[in-house]
């Protein structure tokens, strides 16, 4: 059973009210995503709020003197309350908010320079008895096509959208976003262990087509040691790195 809380270097994440607990995916996305400190950030499907909190830590200096500049939206009411509580307990509470809203119905008076999402990804797979966990894990409530349409509507012309997803879903994901005039500009395939096929892929999209720079991130070597590249990416986030 997962702990009810997870202590990071600069903040604490409570997760007893969330179907999906803190995991490596959210930390990787928050640490890897290209961020523009001069523009507002949107986190679609906040869960515990981990992606937003990692982004806030990275943007700490840029947020000085600004109001609410990181907005998270979460469909599940319990998770929304938990993310809000986690934000309120963080050093960046003045700059963060979580709204209990469906992204398909979300409207605001401006566009976002950065949009982040750790999307539902178990499509057409067996469901568990917990309906909240199903919504967080499955893509039925928010398809790739729906997500792409929302991102296209909410993203600034020069903005970037970043996501993490299973590597075998990448072709379908890219096609869905291309139909909404969003194109991959940065890609990192993630291998849990050196020599194994990638299990996760980090992608950044733009409205402006360009060549897509790609690289491989190996988390641990065959000797079980954490890689220098992984340590460099997350050492300021995790407590014991």
């Amino acid at each position: 059973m997962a702990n009810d809380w997870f202590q990071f270097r600069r903040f604490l994440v409570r997760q007893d009210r969330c179907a999906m607990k803190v995991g490596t995916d959210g930390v990787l996305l928050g640490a890897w995503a290209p961020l523009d400190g001069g523009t507002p950030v949107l986190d679609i499907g906040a869960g515990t709020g981990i992606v937003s909190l990692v982004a806030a830590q990275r943007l700490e200096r840029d947020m000085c003197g600004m109001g609410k500049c990181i907005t998270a939206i979460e469909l599940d009411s319990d998770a929304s309350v938990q993310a809000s509580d986690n934000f309120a307990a963080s050093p960046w509470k003045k700059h963060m908010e979580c709204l209990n809203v469906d992204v398909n119905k979300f409207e605001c008076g401006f566009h976002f320079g950065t949009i982040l999402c750790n999307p539902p990804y178990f499509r057409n797979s067996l469901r568990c008895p917990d309906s909240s966990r199903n919504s967080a894990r499955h893509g039925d409530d928010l398809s790739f096509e729906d997500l792409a349409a929302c991102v296209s509507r909410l993203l600034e012309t020069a903005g970037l959208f970043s996501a993490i997803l299973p590597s075998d879903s990448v072709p379908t994901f890219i096609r869905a976003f291309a139909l909404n005039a969003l194109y991959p500009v940065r890609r990192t395939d993630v291998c849990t262990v050196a020599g194994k096929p990638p299990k996760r892929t980090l992608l950044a999209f733009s409205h402006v087509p360009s060549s897509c720079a790609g690289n491989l991130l190996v988390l641990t070597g065959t000797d079980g040691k954490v890689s220098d590249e992984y340590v460099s990416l997350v050492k300021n986030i995790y407590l014991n790195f």
Side-chain angles (χ1 to χ4, degrees):
M1 179 179 295
N3 290 334
D4 287 344
W5 53 271
F6 200 107
Q7 180 67 59
F8 290 89
R9 188 176 295 274
R10 298 282 311 281
F11 57 89
L12 176 75
V13 175
R14 298 196 181 278
Q15 55 183 359
D16 54 291
R17 300 186 64 176
C18 290
M20 295 304 294
K21 309 304 182 185
V22 170
T24 304
D25 286 6
V27 177
L28 281 174
L29 176 59
W32 175 91
L35 300 177
D36 181 353
T39 61
V41 176
L42 177 66
D43 176 11
I44 298 175
T48 61
I50 179 60
V51 176
S52 290
L53 286 162
V54 174
Q57 180 175 327
R58 291 177 58 199
L59 291 170
E60 185 170 38
R61 293 183 181 179
D62 298 302
M63 293 189 297
C64 292
M66 298 177 67
K68 292 288 192 296
C69 51
I70 297 181
T71 300
I73 55 178
E74 172 56 54
L75 182 61
D76 181 77
S77 57
D78 283 339
S80 177
V81 170
Q82 184 124 77
S84 294
D85 289 346
N86 286 331
F87 293 170
S90 79
W92 314 287
K93 59 185 178 182
K94 294 180 181 179
H95 308 293
M96 309 179 74
E97 64 180 348
C98 185
L99 307 177
N100 181 206
V101 64
D102 183 342
V103 66
N104 292 294
K105 301 174 182 177
F106 177 62
E107 299 286 350
C108 61
F110 55 87
H111 291 85
F112 293 87
T114 299
I115 300 180
L116 309 170
C117 184
N118 180 6
Y121 52 80
F122 290 120
R123 300 163 68 88
N124 303 316
S125 60
L126 292 175
R127 290 175 170 271
C128 69
D130 185 338
S131 61
S132 295
R133 189 170 173 83
N134 277 325
S135 293
R137 291 167 65 93
H138 292 261
D140 303 341
D141 293 332
L142 182 65
S143 68
F144 290 166
E145 293 77 11
D146 289 342
L147 175 60
C150 291
V151 171
S152 182
R153 173 172 56 86
L154 295 166
L155 187 67
E156 281 185 357
T157 302
L160 289 174
F161 165 72
S162 297
I164 185 168
L165 62 154
S167 298
D168 59 7
S169 297
V170 167
T172 304
F173 199 78
I174 289 176
R175 283 195 298 270
F177 276 74
L179 292 173
N180 288 272
L182 287 160
Y183 310 98
V185 295
R186 183 183 174 195
R187 172 174 178 164
T188 295
D189 293 299
V190 182
C191 294
T192 305
V193 180
K196 300 291 185 180
K199 291 292 183 71
R200 292 287 185 269
T201 297
L202 291 148
L203 287 168
F205 290 81
S206 170
H207 283 297
V208 182
S210 71
S211 60
C212 181
N215 70 305
L216 183 68
L217 173 64
V218 176
L219 303 189
T220 58
T222 53
D223 58 0
K225 292 181 62 176
V226 178
S227 72
D228 291 341
E229 293 79 12
Y230 184 34
V231 171
S232 178
L233 183 64
V234 301
K235 64 182 179 181
N236 293 326
I237 308 301
Y238 283 117
L239 184 62
N240 296 316
F241 263 68

